[in-house]
Amino acid sequence: SQQGEEDPQALSIQEGENATMNCSYKTSINNLQWYRQNSGRGLVHLILIRSNEREKHSGRLRVTLDTSKKSSSLLITASRAADTASYFCATDAGTGRRALTFGSGTRLQVQP
Amino acid sequence: NAGVTQTPKFQVLKTGQSMTLQCAQDMNHEYMSWYRQDPGMGLRLIHYSVGAGITDQGEVPNGYNVSRSTTEDFPLRLLSAAPSQTSVYFCASKAQGGGYTFGSGTRLTVV
C-alpha cells in the first residue's frame, strides 16, 4: 500500500502563480523527499527534509514537514510552464526497509 | 559520470518468457532499488539492496528476482513474464543520507 497520499491529485495554475501540494504519510520517518517526473521520464530528486527539520528552501521550492500530523507540503513559487510535471513525495523510514515509499503523486499543469 | 544506466529502454515479451533488466551505477552508492510504475500511480518497490551481497523484498516482489554481486550492478530478473508485469521499471541508487538518483526507466510490455 502507498505510504504517502498526495493532495490534490491534479492542479492547474497560470504561470507566475504559486503551486502548493500536500503529502500525508502513515508511519514514522527518517526523512521525506520530493521528486519531479516529467512525462515519460525518470524521477528527479528535488529536496530532502529530515524528521528534525520543519522547513527547508531550495530556489523557488519551499518544503514544510509536520511530524505530529504526519504531513508535508511542497510550495513552488512563481511557477513556470517548465514546472509542468508530476510531483511525488517519498518517505524514508531509516530503519528496516531501506528504500523509499512513494505517494501517488500530484499532476501539475502550468498554463503559459 | 553517467549516474544510473538502465537497459533496455523498451522491451516486448511474450507471456512465459524470461528476461533481465539491467541497472548499473557509477557513483559507488550502497543503496539500490527497483520500482515499477503503473499508469497514473506512484512507484511501488519491488526489491532493494543495502550493499553488495545483500538484497531484500519490497512491496511487490512476486515474479521477480534480484542479485547484487557488485556495488555497481543490480539486475532485475523476470522469471516467467505475465501481462500483469506490463509496466515502466525504474532503478535507483543513493549514498547514505542522500536522495535517490533514478535511471530513465525500462518500458516493458508483456503480450
Side-chain angles (χ1 to χ4, degrees):
Chain A
S1 62
Q2 298 287 336
Q3 158 77 312
E5 294 297 330
E6 277 138 287
D7 169 55
Q9 291 187 343
L11 179 62
S12 182
I13 59 173
Q14 296 295 122
E15 208 166 25
E17 294 180 336
N18 295 343
T20 300
M21 290 159 263
N22 302 297
C23 168
S24 61
Y25 58 92
K26 299 174 183 174
T27 62
S28 297
I29 62 170
N30 183 44
N31 64 69
L32 185 144
Q33 303 173 32
W34 285 89
Y35 288 81
R36 183 187 73 230
Q37 184 181 34
N38 291 88
S39 181
R41 307 291 292 274
L43 280 75
V44 174
H45 179 255
L46 295 176
I47 195 165
L48 180 154
I49 185 165
R50 303 189 190 284
S51 60
N52 61 353
E53 297 175 311
R54 292 297 167 258
E55 187 171 313
K56 202 163 184 179
H57 297 254
S58 177
R60 294 184 296 113
L61 305 180
R62 173 177 166 255
V63 169
T64 62
L65 178 64
D66 186 336
T67 53
S68 66
K69 295 181 179 178
K70 292 186 168 58
S71 67
S72 174
S73 67
L74 171 67
L75 169 67
I76 303 174
T77 60
S79 63
R80 305 166 181 167
D83 294 329
T84 294
S86 291
Y87 291 82
F88 295 90
C89 70
T91 54
D92 184 343
T95 58
R97 178 176 295 169
R98 303 305 298 272
L100 295 176
T101 305
F102 281 83
S104 52
T106 294
R107 294 186 305 280
L108 174 65
Q109 177 76 42
V110 181
Q111 307 286 352
Chain B
N1 188 339
V4 177
T5 302
Q6 288 185 240
T7 57
K9 293 190 184 304
F10 301 94
Q11 183 71 49
V12 179
L13 289 179
K14 294 182 179 178
T15 297
Q17 286 185 316
S18 62
M19 79 159 294
T20 299
L21 279 63
Q22 301 292 344
C23 176
Q25 52 94 6
D26 59 1
M27 298 169 285
N28 203 32
H29 285 172
E30 293 180 352
Y31 303 109
M32 297 186 74
S33 48
W34 277 101
Y35 295 86
R36 60 177 288 174
Q37 184 178 33
D38 298 302
M41 295 180 66
L43 279 71
R44 291 184 292 169
L45 180 66
I46 305 172
H47 285 285
Y48 68 101
S49 169
V50 299
I54 306 169
T55 63
D56 207 345
Q57 296 181 349
E59 293 177 71
V60 289
N62 293 338
Y64 307 95
N65 273 355
V66 292
S67 60
R68 185 93 181 272
S69 56
T70 66
T71 299
E72 294 78 19
D73 299 300
F74 192 42
L76 177 72
R77 297 182 186 84
L78 278 71
L79 308 173
S80 177
S84 61
Q85 293 179 304
T86 293
S87 189
V88 182
Y89 291 84
F90 290 100
C91 177
S93 74
K94 81 173 186 79
Q96 192 167 8
Y100 275 82
T101 300
F102 279 80
S104 57
T106 295
R107 189 174 296 273
L108 176 68
T109 302
V110 182
V111 298

